[in-house]
Amino acid sequence: MTEDRSERVVITGAGRGLGLEFTRQYLAAGAGVFALARHPDASTGLQALLTAHPDRLRTAEADVTDGPLIAAAHDAVRSQWEGIDVLINNAGTYGPHEATLQSLDLGEVRDVLEINTYGPIRVTTALLDLVRLGTHPRVVNITSLMGSIGDNTSGGSWAYRISKAALNMVTRNMAHELTPLGIAVIALHPGWVRTDMGSHRAPLEAPESVREMISTISQLTLEQGGRFLDRTGHPLPW
């Protein structure tokens, strides 16, 4: 087993967008990163980072809807590290934008839930034995203010809103179980970011969002477990 003494970070959905930017910035800070993606070999960004950081970046194929692939990713991580310090459940999808109550396809809603809500449960459960052995271990579920019931003043985006509201409850439940084990768990809103999901209309660039989220993650305490925070660490309405 090759154990790196720097911070050990596992990131899902690392092939593009925020996941790729998390990978880039953690590597720049000297961390070891396991980047999990559905098609890591097809991500030109990940491949460039592998070339630049062959000693500290590892990749593994991992679809968060696929239990056996997640189990295989667990084994890949365990073969390199004795523990995980930060687990970032970042993989996500938006689903249909324009659905209304009468046009809503519940099959599409289920597909979004599989990724956005059930995915973080699957990944955290599979990697929990390694997270428990981490230094100052943290589990970060990337959510959205669109999952806030208190902030919902416009409706729409049914599947995405439902999945993120459910993820917020998942985070709260996780915190109740994992805080006594010394693991801090939060739901973290990155802001409206200019990515494939966020679109070109978003006001925030990925590097700025991720830089602020990493700062917040680095300062997390157990007392913050179960909270819904923005990228700078301020509480958001449930």
Side-chain angles (χ1 to χ4, degrees), residues 62-121:
D63 183 328
V64 299
T65 70
D66 188 319
L69 275 181
I70 296 169
H74 165 274
D75 292 345
V77 175
R78 186 176 59 182
S79 72
Q80 299 294 316
W81 297 343
E82 292 179 354
I84 295 169
D85 305 318
V86 181
L87 168 60
I88 301 177
N89 286 309
N90 164 76
T93 189
Y94 198 93
H97 285 253
E98 305 302 329
T100 65
L101 179 61
Q102 291 184 306
S103 68
L104 195 61
D105 183 331
L106 292 181
E108 291 180 332
V109 175
R110 291 188 192 98
D111 290 343
V112 175
L113 285 166
E114 282 288 344
I115 297 169
N116 292 357
T117 309
Y118 307 152
I121 296 174

Side-chain angles (χ1 to χ4, degrees), residues 152-196:
N152 185 356
T153 60
S154 63
S157 301
W158 280 73
Y160 190 71
R161 286 188 186 277
I162 291 168
S163 70
K164 292 300 188 179
L167 178 59
N168 290 349
M169 180 61 79
V170 165
T171 302
R172 195 63 174 256
N173 260 23
M174 279 186 182
H176 281 300
E177 294 193 20
L178 300 186
T179 299
L181 303 179
I183 302 169
V185 186
I186 61 162
L188 189 59
H189 169 52
W192 186 13
V193 186
R194 199 171 301 143
T195 62
D196 289 344

